[in-house]
Amino acid sequence: MSSLKRLDTRRTPPGVIDEADMYTYVLSIFESSSVKVDYKFIVAVLIEYIRSLSQHGIPVLYVVYEQLIKTLVGNKCFYQLHQFLQYHVLNDSKQLACLLLSIQGEYSPAYQLALDMLKRLQTADAEIFEVLISKAQLLQALRFARSIGKEDSISARQFLEAAAGTQDNMLFYTVFKFFEDRNMRLRRRPEFATGEHCQQYVKLFYSLYSEVRNSQRLL
C-alpha cells in the first residue's frame, strides 16, 4: 500500500491539449494534399468536435468552422451547410458571416444567410450597411437604417455615390428624394449641407430631371 501511495505522489500530471494544438496537430492534417481522407469522415469528425466543445461551454475556434465550411463547399454539400447554419450548429460571428459572403458565388443563398447572421449579432450594423450597399441593395439598406433608428445619421454621400454607380436612374431618384426629405425634416430646407459633399450628385440629379428644377423655380 505504501509503495502505491509513493507511486501516486510521483505521477506526472496529465497534459492539456488546447484547441490550437488540436487544430495544428490533428485537424489541419485533413487539409494536406498528401493525405487522402473521405470528406464525409472529415465532416463527421469536425461536427463531433464542435459538439463536444459546445457541450462543455468551450468557444469553438473560427478556423474549425472555416475548415468545415470549406470542406462542405468543396464537395458541393450545400444542403448540409444550410442545415448546419439554420439550426445554429455553427455559432454566429462576423468572421463567419464574411466567410459566407465569400462563397456566395458558389452558393447564392449564402448571401442571405450571412445577412441574417449579422442581424442576429445586433452589433454589426456597419457591416450590414456595407454588405447591402456593395450589392446595390440601397432601398433595403435605407429600410434597415429606419428600422434601427439610424436614418438621420447615415451618410447621404455614400448612398448617392452607390446609387449613381448603378446607372439606374429610378433608383438614384428614389435615394436622392429620401435624403432630400430628410433634409426637410431635419433643417426645413431640401438643400444638402456643405459638409455632406453632395454637390456633384445634386448636379447629376438636376441634369437627369431638369423638369424638377423648373417646377421648383415656378414655385
Side-chain angles (χ1 to χ4, degrees), residues 17-20 22-23 27 45-65 89 91:
I17 300 176
D18 62 17
E19 282 192 82
M22 184 69 179
Y23 178 77
L27 301 179
V45 169
L46 291 172
I47 287 297
E48 182 60 25
Y49 181 54
I50 291 169
R51 186 199 65 77
S52 178
L53 290 173
S54 299
Q55 187 176 26
H56 291 86
I58 302 172
V60 181
L61 287 179
Y62 165 73
V63 289
V64 177
Y65 288 148
V89 175
N91 292 331

Short mmCIF file of all heavy atoms in Angstrom, two decimals, residues 17-20 22-23 27 45-65 89 91:
data_model
loop_
_atom_site.label_atom_id
_atom_site.label_comp_id
_atom_site.label_asym_id
_atom_site.label_seq_id
_atom_site.Cartn_x
_atom_site.Cartn_y
_atom_site.Cartn_z
N ILE A 17 -4.30 19.47 -23.82
CA ILE A 17 -4.30 19.75 -25.26
C ILE A 17 -5.36 20.81 -25.52
O ILE A 17 -6.56 20.56 -25.34
CB ILE A 17 -4.61 18.49 -26.08
CG1 ILE A 17 -3.56 17.41 -25.79
CG2 ILE A 17 -4.66 18.82 -27.57
CD1 ILE A 17 -3.84 16.10 -26.48
N ASP A 18 -4.93 21.99 -25.92
CA ASP A 18 -5.91 23.05 -26.17
C ASP A 18 -6.36 23.00 -27.64
O ASP A 18 -5.90 22.18 -28.43
CB ASP A 18 -5.36 24.42 -25.80
CG ASP A 18 -4.13 24.81 -26.60
OD1 ASP A 18 -3.88 24.19 -27.66
OD2 ASP A 18 -3.41 25.74 -26.17
N GLU A 19 -7.27 23.92 -27.99
CA GLU A 19 -7.83 23.90 -29.34
C GLU A 19 -6.78 24.16 -30.41
O GLU A 19 -6.82 23.58 -31.49
CB GLU A 19 -8.94 24.95 -29.46
CG GLU A 19 -10.25 24.52 -28.84
CD GLU A 19 -11.36 25.47 -29.25
OE1 GLU A 19 -11.90 25.32 -30.36
OE2 GLU A 19 -11.65 26.39 -28.46
N ALA A 20 -5.85 25.07 -30.10
CA ALA A 20 -4.80 25.38 -31.07
C ALA A 20 -3.97 24.14 -31.38
O ALA A 20 -3.63 23.87 -32.54
CB ALA A 20 -3.92 26.50 -30.55
N MET A 22 -4.99 21.02 -31.01
CA MET A 22 -5.87 20.08 -31.71
C MET A 22 -5.93 20.40 -33.19
O MET A 22 -5.85 19.50 -34.05
CB MET A 22 -7.26 20.13 -31.09
CG MET A 22 -8.24 19.13 -31.66
SD MET A 22 -7.80 17.43 -31.20
CE MET A 22 -9.15 16.54 -31.98
N TYR A 23 -6.04 21.68 -33.50
CA TYR A 23 -6.12 22.06 -34.91
C TYR A 23 -4.77 21.85 -35.61
O TYR A 23 -4.70 21.28 -36.70
CB TYR A 23 -6.55 23.51 -35.05
CG TYR A 23 -6.60 23.96 -36.50
CD1 TYR A 23 -7.65 23.58 -37.33
CD2 TYR A 23 -5.55 24.69 -37.05
CE1 TYR A 23 -7.67 23.94 -38.67
CE2 TYR A 23 -5.56 25.05 -38.39
CZ TYR A 23 -6.63 24.68 -39.19
OH TYR A 23 -6.63 25.03 -40.52
N LEU A 27 -6.41 18.28 -36.79
CA LEU A 27 -7.40 18.65 -37.80
C LEU A 27 -6.77 19.20 -39.08
O LEU A 27 -7.28 18.96 -40.18
CB LEU A 27 -8.37 19.69 -37.22
CG LEU A 27 -9.16 19.23 -35.98
CD1 LEU A 27 -10.07 20.35 -35.49
CD2 LEU A 27 -9.96 17.97 -36.28
N VAL A 45 -15.98 14.15 -38.13
CA VAL A 45 -15.02 14.45 -37.07
C VAL A 45 -15.18 15.89 -36.60
O VAL A 45 -15.21 16.18 -35.39
CB VAL A 45 -13.58 14.20 -37.54
CG1 VAL A 45 -12.57 14.76 -36.53
CG2 VAL A 45 -13.34 12.70 -37.73
N LEU A 46 -15.27 16.82 -37.54
CA LEU A 46 -15.38 18.24 -37.19
C LEU A 46 -16.68 18.52 -36.43
O LEU A 46 -16.68 19.27 -35.44
CB LEU A 46 -15.30 19.09 -38.46
CG LEU A 46 -13.94 19.12 -39.16
CD1 LEU A 46 -14.04 19.83 -40.50
CD2 LEU A 46 -12.89 19.78 -38.28
N ILE A 47 -17.76 17.94 -36.89
CA ILE A 47 -19.05 18.17 -36.22
C ILE A 47 -19.03 17.60 -34.81
O ILE A 47 -19.52 18.23 -33.85
CB ILE A 47 -20.20 17.54 -37.03
CG1 ILE A 47 -20.46 18.38 -38.29
CG2 ILE A 47 -21.48 17.46 -36.22
CD1 ILE A 47 -20.93 19.79 -38.02
N GLU A 48 -18.45 16.42 -34.64
CA GLU A 48 -18.38 15.82 -33.31
C GLU A 48 -17.48 16.65 -32.39
O GLU A 48 -17.78 16.82 -31.21
CB GLU A 48 -17.85 14.39 -33.41
CG GLU A 48 -17.79 13.65 -32.07
CD GLU A 48 -19.15 13.53 -31.39
OE1 GLU A 48 -20.18 13.57 -32.09
OE2 GLU A 48 -19.17 13.42 -30.14
N TYR A 49 -16.41 17.18 -32.95
CA TYR A 49 -15.50 18.03 -32.17
C TYR A 49 -16.21 19.32 -31.75
O TYR A 49 -16.12 19.74 -30.58
CB TYR A 49 -14.26 18.35 -33.00
CG TYR A 49 -13.24 19.19 -32.29
CD1 TYR A 49 -12.73 18.83 -31.04
CD2 TYR A 49 -12.76 20.37 -32.86
CE1 TYR A 49 -11.78 19.60 -30.39
CE2 TYR A 49 -11.80 21.15 -32.22
CZ TYR A 49 -11.32 20.76 -30.99
OH TYR A 49 -10.38 21.53 -30.34
N ILE A 50 -16.94 19.92 -32.67
CA ILE A 50 -17.70 21.14 -32.36
C ILE A 50 -18.76 20.85 -31.30
O ILE A 50 -18.95 21.62 -30.35
CB ILE A 50 -18.36 21.70 -33.65
CG1 ILE A 50 -17.29 22.26 -34.59
CG2 ILE A 50 -19.38 22.79 -33.32
CD1 ILE A 50 -17.79 22.60 -35.98
N ARG A 51 -19.44 19.73 -31.46
CA ARG A 51 -20.48 19.35 -30.49
C ARG A 51 -19.89 19.16 -29.10
O ARG A 51 -20.45 19.60 -28.09
CB ARG A 51 -21.17 18.06 -30.94
CG ARG A 51 -22.36 17.66 -30.07
CD ARG A 51 -22.70 16.20 -30.26
NE ARG A 51 -21.62 15.34 -29.78
CZ ARG A 51 -21.39 15.08 -28.50
NH1 ARG A 51 -22.16 15.60 -27.55
NH2 ARG A 51 -20.40 14.29 -28.15
N SER A 52 -18.73 18.51 -29.04
CA SER A 52 -18.08 18.26 -27.76
C SER A 52 -17.67 19.56 -27.08
O SER A 52 -17.87 19.74 -25.88
CB SER A 52 -16.86 17.36 -27.97
OG SER A 52 -16.19 17.13 -26.75
N LEU A 53 -17.08 20.47 -27.86
CA LEU A 53 -16.68 21.76 -27.29
C LEU A 53 -17.89 22.53 -26.78
O LEU A 53 -17.87 23.10 -25.67
CB LEU A 53 -15.94 22.59 -28.35
CG LEU A 53 -14.54 22.11 -28.78
CD1 LEU A 53 -14.02 22.94 -29.93
CD2 LEU A 53 -13.57 22.17 -27.60
N SER A 54 -18.94 22.56 -27.56
CA SER A 54 -20.15 23.29 -27.17
C SER A 54 -20.78 22.69 -25.92
O SER A 54 -21.26 23.41 -25.05
CB SER A 54 -21.16 23.27 -28.33
OG SER A 54 -20.62 23.90 -29.47
N GLN A 55 -20.75 21.38 -25.83
CA GLN A 55 -21.33 20.70 -24.68
C GLN A 55 -20.61 21.10 -23.39
O GLN A 55 -21.23 21.16 -22.32
CB GLN A 55 -21.24 19.18 -24.89
CG GLN A 55 -21.98 18.37 -23.82
CD GLN A 55 -21.93 16.88 -24.12
OE1 GLN A 55 -21.02 16.40 -24.80
NE2 GLN A 55 -22.93 16.15 -23.64
N HIS A 56 -19.33 21.41 -23.51
CA HIS A 56 -18.54 21.79 -22.32
C HIS A 56 -18.36 23.30 -22.21
O HIS A 56 -17.55 23.78 -21.41
CB HIS A 56 -17.17 21.11 -22.36
CG HIS A 56 -17.24 19.62 -22.15
ND1 HIS A 56 -17.46 18.73 -23.18
CD2 HIS A 56 -17.15 18.86 -21.01
CE1 HIS A 56 -17.49 17.50 -22.71
NE2 HIS A 56 -17.30 17.54 -21.40
N GLY A 57 -19.11 24.05 -23.01
CA GLY A 57 -19.07 25.51 -22.91
C GLY A 57 -17.77 26.12 -23.36
O GLY A 57 -17.40 27.21 -22.91
N ILE A 58 -17.07 25.45 -24.28
CA ILE A 58 -15.80 25.97 -24.78
C ILE A 58 -16.02 26.60 -26.15
O ILE A 58 -16.54 25.95 -27.06
CB ILE A 58 -14.76 24.84 -24.91
CG1 ILE A 58 -14.55 24.15 -23.55
CG2 ILE A 58 -13.44 25.37 -25.46
CD1 ILE A 58 -13.68 22.92 -23.62
N PRO A 59 -15.66 27.86 -26.31
CA PRO A 59 -15.85 28.51 -27.62
C PRO A 59 -15.05 27.79 -28.71
O PRO A 59 -13.93 27.35 -28.48
CB PRO A 59 -15.30 29.94 -27.39
CG PRO A 59 -15.35 30.13 -25.91
CD PRO A 59 -15.10 28.79 -25.31
N VAL A 60 -15.65 27.69 -29.87
CA VAL A 60 -15.01 27.00 -31.00
C VAL A 60 -14.17 28.00 -31.79
O VAL A 60 -14.64 29.08 -32.13
CB VAL A 60 -16.07 26.36 -31.92
CG1 VAL A 60 -15.41 25.61 -33.07
CG2 VAL A 60 -16.98 25.42 -31.12
N LEU A 61 -12.94 27.62 -32.09
CA LEU A 61 -12.08 28.49 -32.89
C LEU A 61 -12.67 28.66 -34.29
O LEU A 61 -13.19 27.70 -34.89
CB LEU A 61 -10.68 27.89 -33.01
CG LEU A 61 -9.77 27.93 -31.78
CD1 LEU A 61 -8.44 27.26 -32.11
CD2 LEU A 61 -9.52 29.37 -31.35
N TYR A 62 -12.53 29.86 -34.80
CA TYR A 62 -13.06 30.17 -36.14
C TYR A 62 -12.47 29.24 -37.21
O TYR A 62 -13.17 28.82 -38.14
CB TYR A 62 -12.77 31.63 -36.49
CG TYR A 62 -12.95 31.94 -37.95
CD1 TYR A 62 -14.22 32.01 -38.52
CD2 TYR A 62 -11.83 32.13 -38.77
CE1 TYR A 62 -14.37 32.28 -39.88
CE2 TYR A 62 -11.99 32.41 -40.12
CZ TYR A 62 -13.25 32.48 -40.67
OH TYR A 62 -13.41 32.74 -42.00
N VAL A 63 -11.19 28.89 -37.08
CA VAL A 63 -10.55 28.06 -38.11
C VAL A 63 -11.22 26.69 -38.24
O VAL A 63 -11.19 26.08 -39.30
CB VAL A 63 -9.03 27.87 -37.83
CG1 VAL A 63 -8.29 29.16 -38.06
CG2 VAL A 63 -8.79 27.33 -36.43
N VAL A 64 -11.84 26.22 -37.17
CA VAL A 64 -12.54 24.94 -37.23
C VAL A 64 -13.80 25.08 -38.07
O VAL A 64 -14.10 24.24 -38.94
CB VAL A 64 -12.88 24.43 -35.81
CG1 VAL A 64 -13.69 23.14 -35.88
CG2 VAL A 64 -11.61 24.22 -35.00
N TYR A 65 -14.56 26.17 -37.83
CA TYR A 65 -15.72 26.45 -38.66
C TYR A 65 -15.33 26.63 -40.12
O TYR A 65 -15.98 26.15 -41.05
CB TYR A 65 -16.43 27.71 -38.18
CG TYR A 65 -17.17 27.58 -36.87
CD1 TYR A 65 -17.27 28.67 -36.00
CD2 TYR A 65 -17.78 26.39 -36.50
CE1 TYR A 65 -17.97 28.57 -34.81
CE2 TYR A 65 -18.47 26.28 -35.30
CZ TYR A 65 -18.56 27.38 -34.45
OH TYR A 65 -19.24 27.27 -33.28
N VAL A 89 -25.74 25.07 -35.59
CA VAL A 89 -24.64 24.20 -35.21
C VAL A 89 -23.35 25.02 -35.17
O VAL A 89 -22.45 24.78 -34.36
CB VAL A 89 -24.50 23.03 -36.21
CG1 VAL A 89 -23.27 22.19 -35.89
CG2 VAL A 89 -25.77 22.17 -36.17
N ASN A 91 -21.83 28.74 -34.48
CA ASN A 91 -22.19 29.95 -33.75
C ASN A 91 -21.99 31.19 -34.62
O ASN A 91 -21.02 31.29 -35.38
CB ASN A 91 -21.36 30.08 -32.47
CG ASN A 91 -21.73 29.02 -31.45
OD1 ASN A 91 -22.86 28.54 -31.40
ND2 ASN A 91 -20.77 28.62 -30.64
#
